[in-house]
Amino acid sequence: MASIFSHAIAASALGTVRYPKKEVFNYFALGVFCACFPDFDVLFLKLGVPYEHMFGHRGFFHSLIFAYLQGLFIVRVFYADLTFASRASMTIGFYFFCCGVSHSILDAMTNGGLGVAFFAPFDNTRYFLPWRPIEVSPLDTDSFFGEWGIRVLKSELYYVMIPSLLLAIGSFGHRRWKAES
Ligand SMILES: [Zn+2]
């Protein structure tokens, strides 16, 4: 996995592209949740589910279908006042879907572990992107607080955090330019 910090930062940056006028904090917080939740499948590892299993780490919970279901669930629970399949609900749901997918894409850019089962539950093949510059994050927190964690954060600074910051600056700049023109 990439670190939880990078998943949260990437989701926040995606949220700056378009966000509702009301309850902005909830919107971003739920986006961060969607981007971080897939790694709870590490608990299955601890329960003995093999990494390469459909429900192992980077399996079903990192798939496109799960990202879709997760987005749908969040919208139905936290935006229940919006009409089902209305433009507003689909726009918000798309953001939560993108947050989930951003997790899988970042994991597929790491240099360790098995790949990501993007197409689970139909296909458990694990995929990486052709470009994998992100140092894989350890599965246990103890290993993170040391030399390995510094390597992870350094690679994520270049390949996740700075690009996320640029996206956020671009989004706010574009919004301001539109407001003034
Ligand atoms: Zn992950």
Side-chain angles (χ1 to χ4, degrees), residues 164-181:
S164 294
L165 181 65
L166 293 176
L167 174 63
I169 291 171
S171 298
F172 286 126
H174 181 252
R175 192 168 290 112
R176 192 167 175 171
W177 171 74
K178 262 177 75 178
E180 287 173 0
S181 60

Side-chain angles (χ1 to χ4, degrees), residues 13 19 24 34 45 52 55 57 61 63 66 73-75 83 88 98 107 112 123 128 132 143 147 158 169:
Y19 54 85
V24 177
C34 288
L45 267 184
E52 64 279 8
F55 291 100
H57 183 45
F61 294 97
S63 68
F66 179 77
F73 175 80
I74 294 288
V75 172
T83 309
C98 288
D107 276 8
D123 173 16
F128 279 114
R132 296 163 58 191
S143 306
E147 198 259 332
Y158 294 125
I169 291 171

